[in-house]
Amino acid sequence: MTTIARAIRSALLTADPRAKCFATRQVARDWRKGALTWEFDVAMPDQPAWPDAPELLAPGQMPKRRKGGSERGRIALWHSLAHIEFVAIDLALDMAGRFGAEMGREFVSDFMDVAADEAMHFALLARKLEQLGSHYGALPAHAGLWEAAHATRDDVAARLAVVPMVLEARGLDVTPATLDRVRASGDEGGAKILTRILDDEIRHVAAGTKHFLRCAQLTQSEPESLWQNLVKRHFKGHVKPPFNDSARLAAGLSRGFYAEIAH
């Protein structure tokens, strides 16, 4: 029987996007069925395997997306979203594989569910791009999305603070406006995809927040202060308004965490 660590590592080292989605969902199914042994006998890679395309660019080199409803602008939007979800697969897999031995079975189960969701989101977005006559990899993409994982590779509390509670929480803030624009353009199919992603991301942020609160309890730390200190230390960007306070609160992330350090 394969170990959970080896199964996760194999999915992380799968470069082809479609194959990574299949591998991720298979690992999640095998874990739920009890077909993987509880053993962390291999280390996670410093960086997952990625396809040759898209070309990854530094944030300052990324072309500006044109506002408006042009076909090119719509493709750029969906491609950007697809890339975010593709990297999110690896972020969730790495979370479970890197910190699972330390954090336990519930932690692994939660983040394997997150990984399976992200694989499904990517598949929906890749299909949307194909419907628009494009494909994932056709445009350059943001190179910095893995940086937060690498910077927090040795500290589960820092990883939880930055990835689910900053990066994914930011998705809760910006997705409703994108959803409104997509729906206003008459793209009801695209609106359904974004609605599904938004609903799932609330659960993802909730999972991260739950396990972060456990880390704070184990270290006898005040959760909000611990979160703020870790974000200041490990997150290069800014925690920026406007905030979707209701969605954040539904995920257990109250304003007490982020209001004081918001820019």
Side-chain angles (χ1 to χ4, degrees), residues 17 20-21 24 50 77-93 113-126 136 141-142 145 167-168 171-172 174-175 193-194 196-202 204:
K20 188 185 288 281
C21 287
T24 299
W50 295 322
L77 168 66
W78 293 107
H79 192 280
S80 174
L81 294 173
H83 181 63
I84 290 169
E85 297 297 327
F86 180 71
V87 177
I89 299 171
D90 288 327
L91 289 171
L93 288 171
D113 287 345
V114 171
D117 285 347
E118 306 295 16
M120 182 268 293
H121 296 167
F122 175 79
L124 292 172
L125 293 164
Y136 178 61
H142 197 304
L145 296 180
L167 299 181
E168 289 200 81
L172 303 183
V174 301
T175 300
I193 293 172
L194 293 177
R196 174 62 187 271
I197 290 174
L198 180 59
D199 289 344
D200 288 344
E201 296 297 347
I202 291 174
H204 299 175

Side-chain angles (χ1 to χ4, degrees), residues 172-188:
L172 303 183
D173 302 332
V174 301
T175 300
T178 305
L179 172 57
D180 288 344
R181 290 197 302 272
V182 167
R183 181 168 281 141
S185 74
D187 184 359
E188 196 55 40

Side-chain angles (χ1 to χ4, degrees), residues 9-252:
R9 180 180 170 87
S10 177
L12 282 165
L13 293 177
T14 301
D16 177 77
R18 189 181 299 272
K20 188 185 288 281
C21 287
F22 282 128
T24 299
R25 296 174 80 170
Q26 186 63 53
V27 176
R29 281 194 296 269
D30 288 345
W31 171 250
R32 286 193 294 267
K33 292 189 302 183
L36 299 171
T37 62
W38 179 258
E39 188 176 356
F40 291 83
D41 53 339
V42 292
M44 296 302 107
D46 286 340
Q47 181 174 300
W50 295 322
D52 293 336
E55 178 188 8
L56 299 180
L57 300 178
Q61 296 177 314
M62 286 292 294
K64 299 294 184 183
R65 283 210 308 268
R66 296 178 182 178
K67 294 184 178 180
S70 70
E71 191 71 12
R72 185 175 177 181
R74 285 195 293 272
I75 289 172
L77 168 66
W78 293 107
H79 192 280
S80 174
L81 294 173
H83 181 63
I84 290 169
E85 297 297 327
F86 180 71
V87 177
I89 299 171
D90 288 327
L91 289 171
L93 288 171
D94 187 79
M95 183 82 83
R98 187 173 298 273
F99 302 112
E102 171 186 353
M103 295 295 290
R105 290 177 180 270
E106 183 181 354
F107 180 90
V108 170
S109 294
D110 285 346
F111 283 100
M112 289 312 305
D113 287 345
V114 171
D117 285 347
E118 306 295 16
M120 182 268 293
H121 296 167
F122 175 79
L124 292 172
L125 293 164
R127 188 183 312 154
K128 178 69 175 176
L129 282 170
E130 290 167 3
Q131 292 170 352
L132 293 170
S134 187
H135 62 275
Y136 178 61
L139 299 174
H142 197 304
L145 296 180
W146 185 254
E147 287 180 2
H150 186 71
T152 56
R153 64 193 180 278
D154 298 321
D155 185 342
V156 64
R159 174 71 65 87
L160 290 164
V162 172
V163 175
M165 299 174 73
V166 174
L167 299 181
E168 289 200 81
R170 184 61 179 158
L172 303 183
D173 302 332
V174 301
T175 300
T178 305
L179 172 57
D180 288 344
R181 290 197 302 272
V182 167
R183 181 168 281 141
S185 74
D187 184 359
E188 196 55 40
K192 288 180 180 178
I193 293 172
L194 293 177
T195 299
R196 174 62 187 271
I197 290 174
L198 180 59
D199 289 344
D200 288 344
E201 296 297 347
I202 291 174
R203 289 190 294 102
H204 299 175
V205 176
T209 303
K210 175 181 74 173
H211 291 290
F212 179 82
L213 292 174
R214 182 170 157 238
C215 289
Q217 183 181 31
L218 289 172
T219 58
Q220 298 184 324
S221 303
E222 197 284 314
E224 294 174 3
S225 297
L226 177 63
W227 182 82
Q228 291 162 10
N229 289 334
L230 289 170
V231 170
K232 289 174 184 176
R233 193 182 316 156
H234 295 284
F235 183 58
K236 292 182 179 179
H238 297 298
V239 178
K240 299 181 293 187
F243 299 115
N244 185 347
D245 290 322
S246 60
R248 284 170 170 257
L249 189 59

